[in-house]
Amino acid sequence: MNIHKRIQNAALHPKIMPAAQAASLIPLGANVGMSGFTGAGYPKAVPQALAARLSALHAAGQTHASINLWTGASTAPELDGVLAKAHGIQMRLPYQSDPSCRQQINAGQMRYTDMHLSHVAPMARAGFLGTLDVAVVEVVGILPDGRMMASTSVGNNQTWLDLAQHIILEVNLHQNPALEGMHDMAHNMPMPPHGQPIALTHPSERIGTPYLQADLSKVMAVVITDHPDRNSAFDAPNEVSAQIAGHLIDFLQDEVQAGRLPPSLLPLQSGVGNTANAVLAGLNQGPFDQMTAYTEVLQDGMLDMLRSGKLSCASATALSLSPTALAEFNANIDFYRQRIVLRPEEISNHPELIRRLGVIAMNTMIEADIYGNVNSTHIMGSAIMNGIGGSGDFARNARLSIFMSPSVAKGGKISSIVPMVSHHDHTEHDVHIIVTEQGLADLRGLAPTQRARLIVERCAHPSFRPQLLDYMDRAQRSGAGLHTPHLLDEALSWHSRYLKTGQM
Amino acid sequence: MNIHKRIQNAALHPKIMPAAQAASLIPLGANVGMSGFTGAGYPKAVPQALAARLSALHAAGQTHASINLWTGASTAPELDGVLAKAHGIQMRLPYQSDPSCRQQINAGQMRYTDMHLSHVAPMARAGFLGTLDVAVVEVVGILPDGRMMASTSVGNNQTWLDLAQHIILEVNLHQNPALEGMHDMAHNMPMPPHGQPIALTHPSERIGTPYLQADLSKVMAVVITDHPDRNSAFDAPNEVSAQIAGHLIDFLQDEVQAGRLPPSLLPLQSGVGNTANAVLAGLNQGPFDQMTAYTEVLQDGMLDMLRSGKLSCASATALSLSPTALAEFNANIDFYRQRIVLRPEEISNHPELIRRLGVIAMNTMIEADIYGNVNSTHIMGSAIMNGIGGSGDFARNARLSIFMSPSVAKGGKISSIVPMVSHHDHTEHDVHIIVTEQGLADLRGLAPTQRARLIVERCAHPSFRPQLLDYMDRAQRSGAGLHTPHLLDEALSWHSRYLKTGQM
Ligand SMILES: CC(C)(COP(=O)(O)OP(=O)(O)OC[C@H]1O[C@@H](n2cnc3c(N)ncnc32)[C@H](O)[C@@H]1OP(=O)(O)O)[C@@H](O)C(=O)NCCC(=O)NCCS
Ligand SMILES: CC(C)(COP(=O)(O)OP(=O)(O)OC[C@H]1O[C@@H](n2cnc3c(N)ncnc32)[C@H](O)[C@@H]1OP(=O)(O)O)[C@@H](O)C(=O)NCCC(=O)NCCS
């Protein structure tokens, strides 16, 4: 009964079935597009049932039984985790942050196509990624006419529903039906040569309908679940992250003073993680009012800012809330529905909109080099951590592109400022500001050797600064070109030393 | 008389003066925004007079007398060349390709801020690059009401006129007055938070007026010149470039056949250089009709395609035509005016438009690595060649991002496919297709180790292929992470070996 209140389209009732039965309908080797963006809005039951089925097949000798898994971004242990542990994913795109996935990718057992999130839907629609066989999408409910109430993330859901040959819906009774109306879907995005402007000029505006849509004749199963999302809690801001936040807020105040930013700043984008969350906590205490956000994930810090009124509205593609924040969100969902818009990641991360709105992008990095190139994805050049995600969409198109990190990692054995990054995700051209707990380097308009001096002096940890200055000086005296002087035999030696000795 | 026909605004007549006098009005140390994009539409007289003045000052002991030079992109010997030779440029942005500039940058005598061309105008307007003191802009003529007929390139001219405190105009009698009407200026581009959609949906559309505008009270000098643009001639396509063109056209045909591209393709962008021009020559003989171009520079190859009817229209920011092609263009300018739109580089290179139109980007590179990262700018990691220019604007936002190069350089001593590029301009995420005379690698949707095998097998020169395969195999067996396996002690050793021995 409760179930029929959530699934009001009667034609779908006969398709209600257990997760195991639905999972058995997914062909081996299929390209499967699942919902999920961070630990929000991912299917809770079918992936686990699929993992069990694949494990059984492996035990029975079909050792290669697996699927290719496309999602919005990272998901949760009940999706990426179980499928990876079951050796059930042959190829994964466009982003992951799961320990088991990571382990398998770095062991050469899972192929991983790490993509700019704004590229995923257009490339899939263009047929560049192959055919999508099955979509598995969590929804909150289905209206009589078949329109679907989207869940706590949007990601690529509408695109998967459009492209897939077959659809499995998970209706999650645990998700709040009052989410209805918070989403803004863009249907039938016209493809080149028929492209049209996207008519958004403010983070709070809407251009589509609140509902997911699909050709219901493609639905082969409807599965009922009743499970909460699973996002982890954030650490309380520590001294290092508070110092990073402090430098950043000082800088933004200076920009406002100089007339280069309006008093309520410009729409904020914030990466995930503890440092990013600490910066939001700082902004919530800081001097700016009537701020807005145009971001990928909405985490605890932004919810606090909405509640305090510092933030007047936020646009995102997923709610990346800790269990405590999610409870508060659900308790006050009418307040938040007036202030939050959840969009497809193609829209939340679209270069057209990020540039038009003039977003202030604040992302976390693994390391930067003296010239301001940034590595967001790889540990010591070869091993993947998570992926580029939306960081490139925002950094390249932002009004201000800020990257931050503690100046050292692994208890001081690693410097986050190195002669040359071991992997390049964001080039010098896309990095305006670097911040560590040591300070902030404003690189706008500077040439490489000027950037180098500033980054080392402002951002590097004092214990690594002399070696960095020594590298710079010797590179400049080496006879190599003086535009971006490098000693090629030494440029990656810090990483190599760490791999050999456990210390840079 | 002829002069007053070109300068119809009488208020400007008293400001007509010799170039030397105009050049003397430019303050030492000023930020000077000049017109010019490739050897087209740059001021022909004031830079030479300024160079003479600076040389004289240097001789008199003022050894630091110089300016900071902002332009559209590269210019010509009469601008970059003379000022560099006079040691007259302290800092240069956003792009250059002049031998004297290059030499000074690589000698540490000129600072160079190499920027995405689409970033320049917005960053300048936001005040991120400092104050623009003087604009020096070539125009074809001035109407009675002060509106100006733009020249053979647009670049950042309108932005320089808007931002500069003082303006010097060069009216070049040699430029064809029939250029009038070919341009489409975007005036008063609103800045965030007031951004609006850019209403272009086809390369041939217009959104502004054909004229440059300025507050004439800022004009401190008008200088008359009568000199041709100076773009060099292209080499005739050779065997290598013809093979590259052949692979590319085969690929495009396959895409049309597979339904992933329309029969008349999508708007073409083509980098400059001989290889790019050879590809255009190939397309002019090839199977596609009713093509369009949305590109940065319009070179000889595209003019041929317009004339043959293969190309129905072209949008660009500069006419990069050899003297022969320019003569033909001027002889048939009424034909071309109906088919060519010249725009500000902020529009020609805008991510919003490149993505909406679904541009096919075809750029030349210096080298690529096995994972598909591309170096467009640096020789052996440290020395600048030209700069990133618009290649990043197009590669990141294109429907199809293609990079091409001969597989070897310097008579076979250098492999253009290396274990790791010595400088990263375009990361793996922005490179769909790599082409050399050996073949074409289609990297869409592939994971790094798959990309590596394809690039080495299809694109590397046979004389370097075994060493590349050996590097890949040893990296995969080294115990480093298997997502992007690298041997950090060896990754840059090919470049290092070349620097030491003259041979990779
Ligand atoms: C870069 C990124 C990994 C940082 O995440 P974070 O949670 O803030 O960072 P942490 O400091 O906790 O570091 C994560 C791990 O990397 C390690 N690390 C950090 N810096 C390192 C460095 N320079 N070298 C080696 N390891 C490093 C940490 O020690 C930690 O390791 P552990 O998991 O073994 O403890 C994360 O932001 C990311 O994946 N970014 C890419 C995508 C993105 O930017 N998305 C934003 C949305 S638009
Ligand atoms: C990459 C680029 C330099 C290639 O230009 P090109 O004229 O097609 O290339 P060439 O083959 O003539 O090479 C230019 C020089 O680089 C050298 N070169 C080429 N590949 C090399 C390599 N892998 N290693 C070292 N040197 C190399 C050539 O030998 C030549 O040197 P020379 O001038 O001493 O003879 C040029 O396209 C560029 O500057 N691109 C960046 C900007 C851009 O893409 N703009 C497009 C507009 S959107």
Side-chain angles (χ1 to χ4, degrees):
Chain A
M1 190 220 63
N2 193 10
I3 290 174
H4 287 184
K5 245 173 94 183
R6 287 286 184 109
I7 308 175
Q8 299 181 14
N9 181 289
L12 291 178
H13 293 170
K15 299 191 176 162
I16 297 175
M17 63 180 76
Q21 192 182 344
S24 74
L25 302 174
I26 298 174
L28 298 181
N31 293 334
V32 183
M34 296 207 187
S35 63
F37 197 112
T38 71
Y42 56 94
K44 310 289 190 288
V46 171
Q48 299 197 59
L50 180 63
R53 176 182 160 220
L54 294 172
S55 290
L57 289 170
H58 298 163
Q62 284 204 46
T63 49
H64 291 307
S66 61
I67 60 158
N68 303 314
L69 175 60
W70 308 358
T71 61
S74 61
T75 67
E78 295 91 339
L79 202 178
D80 269 315
V82 285
L83 280 168
K85 282 188 185 130
H87 296 270
I89 308 173
Q90 166 135 48
M91 141 0 143
R92 180 78 179 87
L93 69 79
Y95 185 81
Q96 64 74 39
S97 66
D98 179 83
S100 304
C101 275
R102 184 183 300 140
Q103 185 273 325
Q104 286 196 20
I105 295 165
N106 288 326
Q109 292 163 355
M110 187 190 296
R111 292 203 315 266
Y112 176 40
T113 301
D114 171 22
M115 297 173 70
H116 296 301
L117 296 187
S118 77
H119 281 185
V120 182
M123 284 189 76
R125 269 201 302 274
F128 292 176
L129 305 175
T131 311
L132 188 64
D133 301 296
V134 182
V136 184
V137 174
E138 175 177 289
V139 298
V140 172
I142 304 165
L143 299 181
D145 61 6
R147 286 177 301 160
M148 288 165 271
M149 289 149 58
S151 183
T152 43
S153 70
V154 179
N156 291 311
N157 293 355
Q158 186 59 57
T159 304
W160 296 169
L161 293 171
D162 290 342
L163 295 181
Q165 321 240 313
H166 301 287
I167 294 171
I168 297 175
L169 297 174
E170 282 201 7
V171 180
N172 187 349
L173 306 181
H174 201 276
Q175 298 288 18
N176 193 339
L179 282 165
E180 187 175 359
M182 195 175 277
H183 309 88
D184 186 44
M185 301 302 164
H187 297 287
N188 307 317
M189 291 272 291
M191 294 214 339
H194 307 294
Q196 289 294 325
I198 302 172
L200 277 176
T201 60
H202 190 272
S204 66
E205 286 172 5
R206 289 165 180 276
I207 51 172
T209 83
Y211 301 104
L212 293 165
Q213 289 172 11
D215 171 356
L216 294 193
S217 73
K218 298 197 297 184
V219 176
M220 57 178 183
V222 178
V223 174
I224 313 297
T225 66
D226 191 354
H227 292 286
D229 280 342
R230 183 189 322 216
N231 279 301
S232 19
F234 293 96
D235 296 344
N238 59 22
E239 203 183 328
V240 165
S241 59
Q243 282 169 335
I244 291 175
H247 297 312
L248 195 45
I249 290 166
D250 286 349
F251 165 78
L252 293 171
Q253 272 192 286
D254 289 349
E255 288 296 293
V256 171
Q257 203 106 46
R260 286 188 293 261
L261 279 179
S264 55
L265 305 180
L266 286 167
L268 304 172
Q269 176 260 339
S270 164
V272 277
N274 296 318
T275 308
N277 209 50
V279 168
L280 296 176
L283 284 169
N284 200 21
Q285 306 301 324
F288 312 111
D289 292 302
Q290 288 294 311
M291 289 178 278
T292 63
Y294 196 80
T295 190
E296 198 178 280
V297 295
L298 195 137
Q299 67 274 60
D300 291 18
M302 284 205 177
L303 211 67
D304 293 341
M305 291 169 73
L306 284 169
R307 204 168 45 249
S308 74
K310 284 279 184 184
L311 197 64
S312 59
C313 64
S315 162
T317 193
L319 297 174
S320 220
L321 300 173
S322 71
T324 324
L326 187 58
E328 195 275 326
F329 169 84
N330 275 317
N332 297 294
I333 195 161
D334 293 337
F335 172 87
Y336 290 116
R337 202 186 314 94
Q338 286 161 37
R339 289 163 179 80
I340 295 172
V341 186
L342 293 178
R343 310 179 187 281
E345 68 189 79
E346 182 176 7
I347 302 291
S348 66
N349 286 34
H350 204 296
E352 171 171 344
L353 301 169
I354 295 168
R355 191 162 301 201
R356 180 182 305 151
L357 297 172
V359 169
I360 300 177
M362 305 182 289
N363 287 295
T364 322
M365 62 189 181
I366 289 174
E367 60 180 2
D369 67 28
I370 54 175
Y371 296 114
N373 299 288
V374 161
N375 171 12
S376 295
T377 58
H378 281 64
I379 303 296
M380 306 299 148
S382 301
I384 193 79
M385 170 59 77
N386 302 321
I388 195 163
S391 55
D393 296 322
F394 285 96
R396 172 70 62 89
N397 296 295
R399 189 67 162 187
L400 273 176
S401 166
I402 300 163
F403 280 93
M404 52 200 170
S405 162
S407 69
V408 292
K410 303 291 175 203
K413 295 200 167 60
I414 291 176
S415 174
S416 307
I417 308 296
V418 290
M420 180 186 274
V421 285
S422 61
H423 182 91
H424 288 69
D425 291 298
H426 310 290
T427 73
E428 46 173 333
H429 312 285
D430 297 338
V431 180
H432 297 148
I433 309 287
I434 291 181
V435 201
T436 68
E437 82 290 352
Q438 298 294 320
L440 180 146
D442 177 359
L443 308 170
R444 290 172 294 174
L446 300 185
T449 48
Q450 296 176 297
R451 295 165 69 98
R453 203 148 289 274
L454 212 56
I455 292 170
V456 174
E457 282 170 2
R458 298 279 162 85
C459 300
H461 193 275
S463 66
F464 289 103
R465 217 174 278 161
Q467 284 151 269
L468 287 165
L469 289 170
D470 176 56
Y471 178 87
M472 281 162 52
D473 291 344
R474 285 184 299 112
Q476 291 187 15
R477 282 186 278 105
S478 71
L482 286 175
H483 183 55
T484 313
H486 267 303
L487 301 167
L488 296 180
D489 291 335
E490 256 185 65
L492 299 172
S493 66
W494 293 35
H495 301 89
S496 176
R497 188 156 59 240
Y498 177 78
L499 288 175
K500 286 171 198 150
T501 69
Q503 162 89 42
M504 276 190 170
Chain B
M1 192 222 60
N2 193 9
I3 292 175
H4 287 186
K5 244 173 93 183
R6 286 286 185 108
I7 309 175
Q8 299 181 13
N9 181 288
L12 291 178
H13 292 171
K15 297 189 177 164
I16 298 174
M17 64 181 76
Q21 192 182 343
S24 74
L25 301 175
I26 297 173
L28 299 181
N31 293 334
V32 183
M34 296 204 186
S35 62
F37 198 111
T38 69
Y42 57 92
K44 310 288 190 292
V46 172
Q48 299 197 60
L50 180 62
R53 175 180 161 221
L54 295 172
S55 290
L57 288 170
H58 297 163
Q62 285 202 47
T63 48
H64 292 306
S66 61
I67 61 159
N68 303 313
L69 176 60
W70 309 357
T71 61
S74 61
T75 66
E78 296 91 339
L79 201 179
D80 269 315
V82 284
L83 280 169
K85 283 189 184 130
H87 295 268
I89 307 173
Q90 167 135 46
M91 123 33 120
R92 181 79 178 87
L93 69 79
Y95 184 81
Q96 63 74 40
S97 66
D98 180 82
S100 304
C101 275
R102 183 182 300 141
Q103 184 274 323
Q104 287 197 19
I105 295 165
N106 289 325
Q109 291 164 355
M110 186 191 296
R111 292 202 315 266
Y112 177 39
T113 302
D114 171 22
M115 297 173 70
H116 296 301
L117 296 187
S118 78
H119 281 186
V120 182
M123 284 190 77
R125 270 203 301 275
F128 292 176
L129 304 175
T131 311
L132 188 65
D133 300 298
V134 182
V136 184
V137 174
E138 175 177 289
V139 298
V140 173
I142 304 165
L143 299 182
D145 60 7
R147 286 176 302 160
M148 287 166 271
M149 289 149 59
S151 183
T152 43
S153 69
V154 179
N156 291 310
N157 293 355
Q158 186 59 59
T159 303
W160 296 168
L161 293 171
D162 290 341
L163 295 181
Q165 320 240 314
H166 302 286
I167 294 171
I168 297 174
L169 297 173
E170 282 201 7
V171 180
N172 187 350
L173 306 181
H174 201 275
Q175 298 288 19
N176 193 340
L179 282 165
E180 187 175 358
M182 193 174 278
H183 310 88
D184 185 44
M185 301 301 164
H187 297 287
N188 308 316
M189 290 272 291
M191 296 216 332
H194 307 295
Q196 290 293 326
I198 302 171
L200 276 177
T201 59
H202 190 273
S204 66
E205 286 173 4
R206 291 167 177 275
I207 50 172
T209 82
Y211 301 104
L212 292 165
Q213 290 173 9
D215 170 356
L216 293 192
S217 72
K218 298 198 295 184
V219 176
M220 58 179 181
V222 178
V223 173
I224 314 297
T225 66
D226 191 355
H227 293 286
D229 281 342
R230 182 187 326 213
N231 279 303
S232 17
F234 294 95
D235 295 345
N238 58 23
E239 202 183 329
V240 165
S241 60
Q243 281 167 335
I244 292 175
H247 298 311
L248 195 46
I249 289 166
D250 287 349
F251 165 79
L252 293 171
Q253 273 191 285
D254 289 348
E255 288 296 294
V256 171
Q257 202 106 46
R260 285 188 294 261
L261 279 179
S264 55
L265 304 181
L266 286 167
L268 303 172
Q269 176 260 339
S270 164
V272 277
N274 295 318
T275 308
N277 210 51
V279 169
L280 296 176
L283 284 168
N284 200 22
Q285 307 301 324
F288 313 111
D289 290 302
Q290 287 295 310
M291 289 179 277
T292 62
Y294 195 81
T295 190
E296 198 178 280
V297 295
L298 195 137
Q299 66 273 58
D300 291 18
M302 285 204 176
L303 211 67
D304 293 342
M305 291 170 73
L306 284 169
R307 204 170 42 250
S308 74
K310 285 278 184 184
L311 197 63
S312 60
C313 64
S315 162
T317 192
L319 298 174
S320 223
L321 300 173
S322 70
T324 323
L326 187 60
E328 195 274 328
F329 168 85
N330 275 317
N332 297 295
I333 195 160
D334 293 337
F335 173 87
Y336 290 116
R337 203 187 313 95
Q338 287 161 37
R339 288 163 178 82
I340 296 174
V341 186
L342 293 178
R343 310 181 187 280
E345 67 189 81
E346 182 176 7
I347 302 291
S348 65
N349 287 34
H350 205 295
E352 171 171 344
L353 302 169
I354 295 167
R355 192 163 299 203
R356 180 181 305 150
L357 298 173
V359 169
I360 300 176
M362 305 182 289
N363 287 295
T364 322
M365 63 189 181
I366 289 175
E367 59 180 2
D369 66 28
I370 53 173
Y371 296 114
N373 300 288
V374 162
N375 172 11
S376 294
T377 58
H378 281 64
I379 303 296
M380 306 299 147
S382 301
I384 193 81
M385 171 59 76
N386 302 322
I388 194 162
S391 55
D393 296 323
F394 285 97
R396 173 70 61 87
N397 296 296
R399 190 65 161 190
L400 273 176
S401 166
I402 300 162
F403 280 93
M404 53 200 168
S405 161
S407 70
V408 293
K410 303 289 177 206
K413 296 199 167 62
I414 292 176
S415 174
S416 305
I417 308 295
V418 290
M420 180 185 274
V421 285
S422 61
H423 183 91
H424 288 69
D425 291 299
H426 309 291
T427 72
E428 45 174 332
H429 312 286
D430 298 338
V431 180
H432 297 148
I433 309 287
I434 291 181
V435 200
T436 68
E437 82 290 352
Q438 298 294 321
L440 180 146
D442 177 358
L443 308 170
R444 290 173 294 174
L446 300 185
T449 48
Q450 295 176 297
R451 295 165 68 97
R453 202 147 291 272
L454 213 56
I455 292 170
V456 173
E457 282 169 4
R458 299 279 162 84
C459 301
H461 193 276
S463 66
F464 288 104
R465 217 174 278 160
Q467 284 150 270
L468 287 165
L469 289 170
D470 176 58
Y471 177 86
M472 280 163 54
D473 290 343
R474 285 185 298 114
Q476 291 188 16
R477 282 187 278 106
S478 71
L482 286 176
H483 183 55
T484 314
H486 266 305
L487 301 168
L488 296 181
D489 291 336
E490 256 185 65
L492 299 172
S493 66
W494 293 34
H495 301 90
S496 177
R497 187 158 57 242
Y498 177 79
L499 288 175
K500 285 171 198 150
T501 70
Q503 164 86 42
M504 276 190 170

